[in-house]
């Protein structure tokens, strides 16, 4: 059987492929478990300092697999959609956000439903110009999950978030960049090169400081100004104790490029 998720280990970073190309990488329990295992493996590998997530084939991810198993019927009167969201989607999003590594997403084609929101949960999102983002949930009578209702309004504002969720219309990569939904739209044939270069660049940066930034930005979503300033102060104190900080300042004073070791 083909692996539903493939991990390639590169120098200092891992590349993760969702791998059900004939189904546009639709999510099922095997894909979601494989994704969580890939995140665990990245964190356990002390030499891994960044992740790149992408899709095999022409799509990034068409969201949760749609099948008879998830619609009510005589043999299945109460399919437990909330259970899938709670057991699998929640785990993937929480794991992704908590990883002490920067995660780049290369959206290589359509990103729909839960697939779109997994992409948007990554730290830096690049997309090929042929890619699109669709909050497809409404098309089948569902509501956004994978934290779409959390990330969308924070990324693009409430008005656009509500319209995207309620209308289910696709957003092109170019529009997504213009709205600030993603970092950058690039030519389709440049996506792999640009995303790999971005991930390798992140892998050479001070990993602990990047991990601390992730925690700071996540906390800012719910903190007061005072609480955030407190957190920045304590986090800066911790950053100031890392070897990469000392290296950064020494390199500046010596007028040379810093060599950050990551130090996880
Ligand atoms: O359990 C729960 O908790 C529910 C949670 C749900 C969270 C969600 O993610 S809900 C949203 C689910 N996703 C969708 O509703 C999107 C469904 N797919 C589409 O609307 C279209 O496929 C796309 C717009 C994404 C792409 O269209 P197109 O024309 O480029 O491709 P296609 O021909 O529709 O799809 C290609 C193949 O992938 C096709 O298979 P076939 O006919 O060649 O054998 C199609 O059936 C399959 N596919 C696409 N999406 C899914 C899928 N198979 C299963 N599940 C899918 N989500």
């Amino acid at each position: 059987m083909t692996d539903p998720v493939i991990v390639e280990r590169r120098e200092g970073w891992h590349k993760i492929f969702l791998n059900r190309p004939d189904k546009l990488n639709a999510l099922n329990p095997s894909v979601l478990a494989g994704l969580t295992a890939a995140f665990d493996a990245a964190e356990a590998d002390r030499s891994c300092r960044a992740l790149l997530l992408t899709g095999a084939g022409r799509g990034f991810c068409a969201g949760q697999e749609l099948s008879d198993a998830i619609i009510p019927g005589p043999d299945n009167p109460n399919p437990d959609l909330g259970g899938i969201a709670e057991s699998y989607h929640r785990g993937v999003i929480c794991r992704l956000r908590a990883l002490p590594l920067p995660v780049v997403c290369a959206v290589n084609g359509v990103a729909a439903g839960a697939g779109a929101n997994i992409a948007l949960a990554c730290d830096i999102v690049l997309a090929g110009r042929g890619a699109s983002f669709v909050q497809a949930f409404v098309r089948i009578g569902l509501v956004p999950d994978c934290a779409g209702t959390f990330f969308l309004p924070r990324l693009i504002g409430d008005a656009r978030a509500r319209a995207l969720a309620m209308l289910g219309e696709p957003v092109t990569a170019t529009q997504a960049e213009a709205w600030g939904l993603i970092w950058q739209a690039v030519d389709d044939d440049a996506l792999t090169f640009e995303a790999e270069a971005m991930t390798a660049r992140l892998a050479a940066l001070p990993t602990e400081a990047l991990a601390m930034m992730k925690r700071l930005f996540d906390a800012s979503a719910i903190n007061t100004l005072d609480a955030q300033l407190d957190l920045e102060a304590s986090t800066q104190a911790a950053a100031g104790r890392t070897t990469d900080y000392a290296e950064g300042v020494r390199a500046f004073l010596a007028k040379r490029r810093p060599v950050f070791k990551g130090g996880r």
Side-chain angles (χ1 to χ4, degrees):
M1 202 179 90
T2 318
D3 287 338
V5 171
I6 293 175
V7 179
E8 288 180 5
R9 288 166 188 254
R10 307 289 179 89
E11 186 71 41
W13 53 279
H14 292 185
K15 183 170 183 177
I16 301 172
F17 292 86
L18 302 173
N19 187 39
R20 295 183 75 207
D22 55 326
K23 297 291 175 197
L24 299 178
N25 303 314
L27 303 168
N28 62 19
S30 304
V31 177
L32 291 160
L35 201 48
T36 304
F39 294 154
D40 289 346
E43 186 168 2
D45 177 358
R46 308 293 283 186
S47 70
C48 179
R49 294 168 59 187
L51 275 183
L52 174 56
L53 175 63
T54 194
R58 72 175 176 91
F60 172 70
C61 175
Q64 188 64 30
E65 174 164 56
L66 302 180
S67 70
D68 288 341
I70 61 165
I71 49 177
D75 299 333
N76 188 19
N78 294 305
D80 184 14
L81 271 64
I84 294 176
E86 188 62 31
S87 313
Y88 291 104
H89 294 178
R90 183 192 185 104
V92 165
I93 297 298
C94 290
R95 195 77 193 83
L96 177 55
R97 297 294 283 197
L99 277 173
L101 308 163
V103 183
V104 176
C105 188
V107 180
N108 54 301
V110 67
N117 293 338
I118 288 174
L120 298 177
C122 295
D123 296 302
I124 298 182
V125 185
L126 302 178
R129 288 190 209 286
S132 58
F133 297 82
V134 197
Q135 294 296 314
F137 309 89
V138 69
R139 297 180 178 187
I140 55 168
L142 292 183
V143 300
D145 69 1
C146 283
T149 55
F150 185 88
F151 295 125
L152 281 171
R154 286 170 171 81
L155 287 166
I156 55 174
D158 198 58
R160 284 173 172 153
R162 284 177 194 241
L164 285 188
M166 291 186 174
L167 301 174
E169 286 179 6
V171 177
T172 63
T174 306
Q175 183 71 71
E177 179 190 324
W179 281 358
L181 186 64
I182 64 169
W183 171 242
Q184 200 175 22
V186 301
D187 289 343
D188 291 308
D189 56 8
L191 179 66
T192 299
F193 176 83
E194 295 289 347
E196 292 187 356
M198 170 74 76
T199 313
R201 177 177 161 192
L202 287 162
L205 291 174
T207 312
E208 285 174 292
L210 300 186
M212 290 175 197
M213 286 179 206
K214 288 182 67 155
R215 292 199 291 273
L216 282 167
F217 281 114
D218 279 353
S220 79
I222 50 166
N223 264 348
T224 61
L225 175 61
D226 267 350
Q228 192 66 15
L229 287 167
D230 287 346
L231 189 62
E232 283 182 0
S234 59
T235 307
Q236 197 71 294
R241 291 191 289 272
T242 64
T243 52
D244 279 343
Y245 160 70
E247 165 63 7
V249 179
R250 278 196 202 101
F252 175 80
L253 296 175
K255 299 190 185 305
R256 63 171 172 79
R257 290 174 74 85
V259 180
F260 296 119
K261 295 283 174 46
R264 282 206 296 126

